[in-house]
């Protein structure tokens, strides 16, 4: 599909000042450290899965200049992002190596996972491990939460259902975000990755932001269908909200409950999908990224 009705502006590629390190613990992972990152203070860490590194670096340098960034790119398909993180120690090693490269003195202030499109596969696999679930503060999904139909390939309109095991970890994270649950962290060392230090009122609180388009893949559940399933499990309902969105997007709906936020947007074209990556900073505030 091609959409000629909305502008779909694109950010121009430029070289963002900062230091870049290809991380050895995970091929395809790159650490970006902007000039305003201070390793003598607790550092917010954003790990983003899928999407041009230069673009996410621009976003972070402009809107989160004190945060360190890891971008991870494996190519197409959620399984490409899921499979590496089936290794239990991989996420821990990634955090440790990034901390060593940054020479952090006081550890991570917060840990945020962000996934665009297929990148949700890595986010889901990381959260499936209870120790990492507890460690992650914020999750941001950019038009990226899918599931299989059950039976496979049978659409909801034909009597199929969403494969619950594909969504349950997101339901659990959303429940904690809705409840505003807090994990007392203080100066406690976790998982051998350094000190996670409370960095303010939002520290320890889960926030979860889900954004989606109206794209219908057909062979598996769409981001809209998965969002609807998630809301059903939480007993939440959408509020119709017609408004101009970022980058010329058209917002259709919203849900705000505690630290859980959902934003639904119009569009079923490839351009509508890519809009989410270019508009990523619009949801940093909702996601609790500081």
């Amino acid at each position: 599909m091609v959409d000629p009705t909305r502008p779909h502006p694109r950010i121009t590629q430029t070289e963002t000042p900062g230091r870049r390190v290809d991380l050895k613990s995970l091929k395809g992972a790159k650490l970006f450290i902007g000039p305003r990152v201070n390793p003598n203070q607790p550092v917010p860490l954003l790990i983003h899965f899928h999407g041009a590194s230069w673009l996410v670096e621009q976003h972070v340098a402009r809107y989160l200049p004190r945060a360190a960034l890891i971008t991870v790119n494996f190519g197409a398909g959620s399984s490409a992002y899921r499979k590496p993180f089936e290794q239990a120690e991989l996420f821990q090693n990634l955090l440790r190596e990034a901390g060593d490269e940054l020479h952090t003195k006081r550890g991570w202030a917060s840990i945020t996972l962000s996934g665009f499109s297929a990148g949700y596969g890595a986010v889901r696999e990381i959260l499936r491990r209870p120790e990492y679930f507890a460690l992650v503060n914020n999750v941001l999904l950019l038009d990226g939460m899918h599931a299989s139909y059950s039976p496979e390939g049978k659409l909801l309109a034909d009597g199929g259902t969403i494969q619950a095991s594909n969504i349950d970890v997101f339901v659990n994270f959303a429940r904690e975000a809705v409840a505003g649950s807090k994990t007392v962290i203080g100066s406690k060392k976790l998982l051998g990755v350094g000190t996670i230090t409370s960095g303010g009122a939002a520290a320890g609180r889960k926030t979860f932001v889900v954004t989606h388009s109206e794209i219908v893949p057909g062979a598996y559940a769409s981001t809209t269908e998965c969002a609807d399933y998630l809301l059903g499990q939480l007993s939440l309902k959408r509020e119709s909200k017609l408004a101009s969105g970022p980058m010329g997007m058209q917002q259709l709906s919203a849900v705000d409950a505690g630290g859980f936020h959902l934003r639904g947007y119009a569009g079923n074209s490839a351009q509508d999908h890519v809009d989410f990556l270019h508009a990523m900073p619009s949801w940093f505030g909702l996601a609790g990224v500081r």
Side-chain angles (χ1 to χ4, degrees):
M1 296 288 294
V2 175
D3 172 42
T5 61
R6 285 180 290 276
H8 306 292
R10 295 294 177 250
I11 295 171
T12 302
Q13 181 173 355
T14 58
E15 181 77 5
T16 303
R19 183 163 72 93
R20 294 163 179 81
V21 180
D22 291 324
L23 298 177
K24 297 177 181 177
S25 54
L26 179 61
K27 186 177 180 180
K30 180 187 297 184
L31 174 66
F32 172 75
I33 305 167
R36 293 178 61 185
V37 175
N38 183 1
N40 297 313
Q41 297 294 327
V43 178
L45 176 64
L46 171 63
I47 307 176
H48 177 78
F49 300 95
H50 196 58
S53 294
W54 67 264
L55 178 55
V56 185
E57 289 170 6
Q58 280 197 41
H59 291 332
V60 169
R62 181 174 180 181
Y63 297 99
L64 303 171
R66 293 179 175 81
L69 167 69
I70 298 174
T71 54
V72 181
N73 283 291
F74 292 146
S78 63
S79 62
Y81 288 89
R82 170 182 55 81
K83 288 179 180 178
F85 288 96
E86 290 177 347
Q87 303 175 50
E89 71 285 354
L90 178 57
F91 187 60
Q92 176 179 345
N93 292 341
L94 189 66
L95 295 178
R96 182 186 293 114
E97 184 183 1
D100 290 345
E101 288 288 346
L102 184 57
H103 304 295
T104 54
K105 302 298 190 299
R106 298 179 60 187
W108 304 119
S110 62
I111 295 174
T112 301
L113 303 182
S114 171
F116 167 63
S117 192
Y120 81 93
V123 178
R124 183 177 64 190
E125 194 62 29
I126 291 167
L127 294 179
R128 278 176 169 163
R129 299 192 180 276
E131 64 272 27
Y132 299 149
F133 185 102
L135 192 60
V136 171
N137 301 91
N138 314 304
V139 170
L140 170 60
L141 296 182
L142 303 168
D143 203 24
M145 180 170 58
H146 293 286
S148 298
Y149 290 123
S150 180
E152 186 173 351
K154 190 169 186 177
L155 304 180
L156 299 185
D158 296 330
T161 60
I162 298 284
Q163 184 66 50
S165 60
N166 293 166
I167 302 290
D168 281 357
V169 70
F170 290 133
V171 172
N172 293 338
F173 200 89
R175 280 203 179 102
E176 292 212 9
V178 169
S181 63
K182 296 185 178 181
T183 303
V184 178
I185 296 176
S187 60
K188 189 176 180 181
K189 285 186 178 289
L190 296 175
L191 303 168
V193 300
T195 303
I196 311 296
T197 305
S198 296
R205 180 178 297 162
K206 307 282 190 200
T207 61
F208 188 17
V209 178
V210 176
T211 67
H212 69 83
S213 67
E214 296 180 303
I215 295 172
V216 179
Y220 49 88
S222 69
T223 52
T224 301
E225 290 173 324
C226 290
D228 286 341
Y229 176 87
L230 184 69
L231 294 176
Q233 295 301 302
L234 299 172
S235 299
L236 295 174
K237 292 184 178 180
R238 294 175 185 270
E239 174 188 353
S240 177
K241 186 170 184 179
L242 299 179
S244 296
M247 307 294 285
M249 300 169 71
Q250 175 65 57
Q251 185 178 342
L252 299 177
S253 63
V255 178
D256 294 290
F260 174 76
H261 308 279
L262 181 141
R263 298 291 184 268
Y265 296 88
N268 62 352
S269 71
Q271 298 130 298
D272 295 306
H273 183 53
V274 177
D275 283 345
F276 287 87
L277 189 60
H278 282 259
M280 182 180 181
S282 302
W283 304 291
F284 281 162
L286 286 177
V289 186
R290 300 289 186 268

